[in-house]
Amino acid sequence: MKRTAFFISDGTGITAEALGNSLLAQFGSIRFEKVTLPYIDNIEKAVEVVDKINLIAEQDGQRPILFDTVVDEAIREVISTCVAYKIDVFSAFLKPLELELGSHSSYSVGKSHAINEVNRYMDRIESVNFAIDNDDGARTVQYDRADIILTGVSRCGKTPSCLYMALQFGVRAANYPLTDCDLNSAELPETLRPYKDKLYGLTIDPFQLASIRHERRANSRYASLDQCEDEVRIVERMYRQEQLPCINTTHFSIEEIATRIMAEMGLERRLNL
């Protein structure tokens, strides 16, 4: 079963996507063709959107699902004429909230994703730069500034997890890859020992690891199942010996991995997005 879902906004569309995707994820039996249309900020663009939605409705033989965070009343009226099942995020939630708070909303376009506090925005930039600078053990001299140091074998999800924590939460996250030298000794690298309280281990199913590595370096020792099984077995034993907290990333998204690490390590969010 296939349906088309539109995310429409006169801003970035991030809010519409976030809410819409969360709701649509509950319907695993349906395949959704997703279309995001940001910055629909004038009548002409709104008319084009209506034409596009109506065309898709005709082609699909059923009306698309529309998640709408458009603020401008005139634009919303145009979009309301399309053939779609509409979920108006702002009217659904802001009106009841206005009644509860006894205050009118500003109805400002892009308010939730604007640079409202320069210092907090700069914290985000600094955290992302830190994650990039400290990727793959590049600058271990900066580990004293890290909030968290992820470690694990190559391709188990360290880099994307660090970048997600930096971008979403403003956390200074570094990562250190456990290489052949580290695995041969089967002991925690001396470089990491002074920062043991900041360490968090990542592991992964060897079959999944071999599949990921095969895409990067096909038919190599690096991507062989035997090599992956050996590496995973050694690092998991190391985590147990050193009593390091760890997570198996095989069945978790980057968002889930990062959020679980944040919760388990008690890390403070510098950003609330």
Side-chain angles (χ1 to χ4, degrees):
M1 190 174 178
K2 178 250 185 186
R3 296 289 292 268
T4 302
F6 283 89
F7 308 106
I8 311 295
S9 176
D10 41 12
T12 63
I14 294 173
T15 301
E17 281 185 317
L19 178 62
N21 281 320
S22 294
L23 295 174
L24 296 180
Q26 307 304 314
F27 301 90
S29 61
I30 302 175
R31 181 174 65 87
F32 291 99
E33 189 74 29
K34 299 175 183 178
V35 181
T36 301
L37 300 175
Y39 299 111
I40 307 302
D41 51 11
N42 60 48
I43 298 298
E44 290 74 20
K45 291 180 181 178
V47 171
E48 291 177 5
V49 165
V50 169
D51 290 341
K52 184 169 187 174
I53 292 174
N54 288 346
L55 178 61
I56 294 296
E58 184 177 348
Q59 291 174 347
D60 289 355
Q62 52 193 340
R63 57 183 181 172
I65 310 299
L66 171 61
F67 294 94
D68 160 24
T69 57
V70 173
V71 171
D72 186 275
E73 191 64 38
I75 296 174
R76 287 170 64 190
E77 284 190 13
V78 173
I79 292 176
S80 70
T81 64
C82 70
V83 180
Y85 177 76
K86 306 170 194 68
I87 300 175
D88 187 331
V89 175
F90 283 158
S91 67
F93 296 107
L94 281 183
K95 293 295 185 185
L97 198 54
E98 285 177 337
L99 292 174
E100 176 63 27
L101 298 175
S103 177
H104 289 290
S105 163
S106 64
Y107 286 87
S108 301
V109 176
K111 192 76 170 178
S112 60
H113 300 287
I115 304 177
N116 298 314
E117 297 181 46
V118 174
N119 289 339
R120 294 174 71 81
Y121 182 74
M122 294 309 296
D123 280 342
R124 172 191 276 185
I125 298 301
E126 194 275 336
S127 297
V128 172
N129 285 334
F130 184 89
I132 293 171
D133 287 344
N134 292 275
D135 185 41
D136 273 349
R139 297 188 181 181
T140 57
V141 294
Q142 295 188 18
Y143 281 3
D144 60 325
R145 296 179 52 222
D147 298 312
I148 183 81
I149 303 169
L150 302 186
T151 190
V153 299
S154 172
R155 314 305 290 177
C156 66
K158 299 183 301 297
T159 297
S161 298
C162 284
L163 288 172
Y164 185 87
M165 286 190 284
L167 184 62
Q168 294 295 98
F169 307 132
V171 167
R172 289 188 296 271
N175 76 77
Y176 184 94
L178 295 170
T179 62
D180 284 341
C181 292
D182 303 314
L183 297 173
N184 287 336
S185 69
E187 294 181 355
L188 190 68
E190 287 301 318
T191 303
L192 298 179
R193 287 206 173 276
Y195 312 103
K196 187 174 176 180
D197 61 330
K198 298 181 179 183
L199 291 181
Y200 196 98
L202 270 58
T203 185
I204 188 172
D205 178 80
F207 288 93
Q208 177 76 0
L209 181 61
S211 176
I212 294 170
R213 288 183 174 184
H214 185 78
E215 293 181 6
R216 180 170 181 168
R217 205 179 300 168
N219 302 316
S220 64
R221 173 177 172 272
Y222 168 79
S224 72
L225 181 57
D226 286 344
Q227 176 68 17
C228 293
E229 287 178 333
D230 286 344
E231 291 186 23
V232 169
R233 184 178 64 256
I234 293 170
V235 297
E236 289 183 350
R237 184 170 67 240
M238 182 190 299
Y239 296 158
R240 290 193 297 270
Q241 289 174 348
E242 299 291 342
Q243 296 184 316
L244 293 183
C246 65
I247 185 173
N248 188 313
T249 64
T250 306
H251 300 296
F252 292 124
S253 66
I254 296 302
E255 295 88 343
E256 290 174 307
I257 295 167
T259 306
R260 285 171 180 265
I261 292 171
M262 292 281 296
E264 190 168 339
M265 295 295 283
L267 295 178
E268 180 181 350
R269 300 187 184 199
R270 292 192 179 88
L271 304 174
N272 291 303
L273 304 179

